[in-house]
Amino acid sequence: MAPVSEQLEPQGAGADPAAASTPLPGPPAGEEPRRENGGEWCPGSGESGAQPRAALAEEAPGSPGCPGSAAAPEPPEGGWGWVVMLAAMWCNGAVFGIQNSCGVLFVSMLRLFGSSDDKQLVFKTAWVSSLSMGMVFFCSPIVSIFTDLFGCRKVAVIGAAVGLVGLLSSSFVSTIEPLYFTYGIVFACGCSFAYQPSLVILGHYFKKRLGLVNGIVTAGSSLFTVSLPFLLRVLIDSVDLFNTLRVLCILMFVLFLAGFTYRPLVPNTKDKEGGKKGKFKLPPAKKICNFSVFKVLSYRIWALGIPAALFGYFVPYVHLMNHVKERFGDSVPEEVLLLCLGITSGVGRLIFGRVADYIPGAKKIYLQVASFFFIGLMSMMIPLCNVFGALVAVCLFMGLFDGCFICIMAPIAFELVGAEDVSQAIGFLLGLMSVPMTVGPPIAGLLRDKLGTYDVAFYLAGVPPLIGGAILCFIPWVHERQKLKERAKPVDRETTEKMLENESTLVSDTTEKPAKELDSGF
């Protein structure tokens, strides 16, 4: 169903290796092979069982032509895929580089829109960045549907254009409230539509190297997170916040151009439907919204544990800059902390992305368990750091395990639900992630407004990752039990009866034929 499934075989289930290796039978003896419209001979229709392979390709999507024949061709593992990888890398960098640098924009917004009379200034300003990050993930289920219907390229290009409009319009506001819509909704929705196709398209071009390529692509956000804070600080000090947002529009314009590189290897749903009937009609709702992924118990646990762990995940990115300013004043360069987060996050994505390729099956989930444990622990240690150097060390470790958590999202989704449903499985998960990532930073800002310090907010931010990591520990055990049950499942009774009926019909035909030949001979 998903575009990925048209290029990748489901991992662990689905395609029959025996079927893939069995050669196709030739035409009956004494009969010339029929090739219509450039097709090759295929068994199964007409008097001689011949049928063009090209015609049967529509009947068996994913096969090279004949029903029951070899599975979809392997991804090219390179070629134009390297260009796609670089474009996807820019997408991750532009989208999450801006989102992760929100701490710098947050401080500038406090200074620009704040007043001494506003007692909930931090709470209200935190909603801008928090709503933006939340909407990136909240739109993901919708984006996955559009990606299945129209393909990665169209969705990514239109998304980048919408994001560009939202960011540009944010540079013309005069109060904080319009930013909720222009920056928090329009810009973020555009980013979401540009971002998710960059994950899906990688599965079209890579399979064996998917973990490594995914690590390289997600490292793009780390490169931008390292450089953008310093660039934003210089721009804000020299040309103010609004002109800085206009400069950031350049990143979104390049992202718009990068989307055109997502060249489809197979037709999308719209193209296939249009090719058959001449006019595109939407598939049934069940095909558009594939809720069958929630029938997989291990996926349900994953979709519960990840959001549970993320209630405090985005708090340091939003509030750490302001916390440093309040505790250390202007004597320390607070942007160095985002630099540390970005560098080690990129290193973590490259290292753990490659490590995940060597960890079998659902056991990859243990990397995420370890990640959440250390992220939670580091969040709790932020208020205890009375020396700036200690905060640098905390951010280095936090970034390393943040990279680990992010880079293995797609490989774990492939393991749990298979390649056919991975697009919407990732979409649903990102949508569920949007709620905790949206509400976490404003709650932390409210605690800061009420208590006058961020200490309690950072302590509480470290608790959800520990709880979420504990929930995820059950997934490998549950996944193994599911696989054992599937292997031990008896053959369906109705299927068995049909097989026996076919065998008896075959036996009767073979016994009747010699008898008729004997009768005709006499």
Side-chain angles (χ1 to χ4, degrees):
M1 174 183 152
V4 180
S5 67
E6 296 165 347
Q7 290 301 315
L8 292 178
E9 299 175 23
Q11 297 182 359
D16 183 4
S21 59
T22 305
L24 292 171
E31 184 176 322
E32 287 296 321
R34 292 169 55 192
R35 290 179 174 86
E36 302 175 13
N37 301 323
E40 298 176 25
W41 181 88
C42 281
S45 70
E47 295 178 1
S48 62
Q51 186 172 349
R53 183 184 297 268
L56 282 170
E58 292 185 358
E59 297 178 16
S63 72
C66 297
S69 67
E74 288 288 314
E77 300 290 344
W80 185 256
W82 298 119
V83 178
V84 172
M85 184 195 75
L86 292 175
M89 186 177 179
W90 180 273
C91 175
N92 275 256
V95 171
F96 290 106
I98 296 174
Q99 297 288 350
N100 292 341
S101 302
C102 63
V104 180
L105 299 176
F106 177 74
V107 174
S108 179
M109 290 176 192
L110 285 175
R111 189 166 57 241
L112 182 64
F113 300 112
S115 66
S116 57
D117 299 330
D118 196 342
K119 301 299 182 185
Q120 291 189 328
L121 177 62
V122 176
F123 171 70
K124 290 198 300 185
T125 308
W127 271 109
V128 177
S129 300
S130 183
L131 186 61
S132 179
M133 179 62 91
M135 286 301 295
V136 170
F137 295 108
F138 180 77
C139 294
S140 293
I142 302 171
V143 178
S144 65
I145 294 171
F146 276 85
T147 302
D148 285 347
L149 291 176
F150 302 105
C152 295
R153 177 155 55 184
K154 293 177 183 177
V155 174
V157 168
I158 293 173
V162 172
L164 175 61
V165 171
L167 191 58
L168 184 62
S169 59
S170 298
S171 66
F172 294 99
V173 303
S174 56
T175 59
I176 192 73
E177 286 77 12
L179 285 174
Y180 296 153
F181 176 72
T182 58
Y183 189 89
I185 295 179
V186 179
F187 169 65
C189 287
C191 287
S192 183
F193 274 76
Y195 164 64
Q196 193 170 332
S198 73
L199 296 180
V200 176
I201 194 66
L202 296 176
H204 287 235
Y205 288 90
F206 298 95
K207 182 178 180 182
K208 296 177 183 177
R209 300 172 178 167
L210 186 59
L212 175 62
V213 168
N214 203 62
I216 295 173
V217 166
T218 55
S221 65
S222 300
L223 294 177
F224 278 70
T225 302
V226 167
S227 55
L228 269 183
F230 296 96
L231 176 63
L232 291 177
R233 172 58 60 202
V234 172
L235 288 172
I236 290 172
D237 291 341
S238 58
V239 297
D240 74 37
L241 175 64
F242 297 129
N243 285 315
T244 299
L245 294 177
R246 290 164 194 153
V247 171
L248 290 178
C249 290
I250 298 173
L251 301 183
M252 298 304 297
F253 179 71
V254 176
L255 177 56
F256 170 77
L257 299 178
F260 287 100
T261 66
Y262 298 168
R263 187 173 66 194
L265 298 181
V266 292
N268 55 54
T269 304
K270 179 181 183 299
D271 293 337
K272 287 188 287 186
E273 294 291 329
K276 288 180 184 178
K277 302 177 183 178
K279 185 179 180 181
F280 172 61
K281 293 183 179 179
L282 286 175
K286 288 184 178 179
K287 290 187 177 182
I288 295 177
C289 298
N290 183 18
F291 292 104
S292 63
V293 293
F294 288 100
K295 294 180 181 178
V296 181
L297 179 58
S298 55
Y299 176 78
R300 292 203 303 271
I301 298 174
W302 195 49
L304 170 67
I306 296 291
L310 294 181
F311 275 96
Y313 172 82
F314 200 46
V315 170
Y317 286 96
V318 175
H319 294 288
L320 186 58
M321 297 294 98
N322 203 39
H323 168 71
V324 172
K325 216 166 193 59
E326 291 180 354
R327 177 162 293 192
F328 300 101
D330 296 326
S331 60
V332 295
E334 63 267 19
E335 294 85 3
V336 170
L337 299 179
L338 289 180
L339 173 69
C340 296
L341 281 170
I343 290 176
T344 52
S345 180
V347 171
R349 294 172 200 217
L350 294 173
I351 293 175
F352 291 108
R354 189 58 177 164
V355 169
D357 288 336
Y358 294 99
I359 299 179
K363 291 183 180 179
K364 294 180 177 69
I365 206 77
Y366 288 129
L367 289 176
Q368 284 192 329
V369 173
S371 299
F372 284 134
F373 175 79
F374 281 101
I375 288 173
L377 191 62
M378 294 300 107
S379 294
M380 292 179 171
M381 291 184 66
I382 289 175
L384 303 176
C385 297
N386 295 316
V387 180
F388 186 71
L391 265 180
V392 170
V394 165
C395 289
L396 288 172
F397 278 102
M398 184 178 287
L400 184 69
F401 290 100
D402 168 76
C404 175
F405 152 65
I406 291 172
C407 75
I408 58 175
M409 292 276 286
I412 290 175
F414 272 89
E415 295 291 346
L416 297 184
V417 302
E420 183 178 351
D421 298 323
V422 73
S423 175
Q424 295 208 19
I426 293 175
F428 286 132
L429 178 67
L430 295 179
L432 292 170
M433 287 166 54
S434 67
V435 177
M437 296 189 75
T438 301
V439 303
I443 291 175
L446 186 62
L447 290 171
R448 158 64 185 79
D449 289 332
K450 296 293 184 184
L451 303 176
T453 176
Y454 278 112
D455 289 0
V456 174
F458 283 119
Y459 287 137
L460 293 178
V463 175
L466 301 179
I467 296 174
I471 294 173
L472 297 181
C473 286
F474 294 98
I475 291 178
W477 177 73
V478 170
H479 192 64
E480 280 301 315
R481 282 176 60 88
Q482 283 178 324
K483 289 168 67 176
L484 289 174
K485 283 182 180 179
E486 288 175 2
R487 290 171 189 161
K489 189 181 294 184
V491 181
D492 183 42
R493 182 177 178 180
E494 184 178 347
T495 306
T496 307
E497 289 177 356
K498 286 184 179 179
M499 290 172 61
L500 292 173
E501 184 179 341
N502 291 336
E503 287 182 7
S504 61
T505 304
L506 182 64
V507 171
S508 62
D509 288 345
T510 53
T511 53
E512 286 176 7
K513 190 173 182 181
K516 288 181 180 178
E517 290 177 354
L518 287 172
D519 291 340
S520 62
F522 288 110

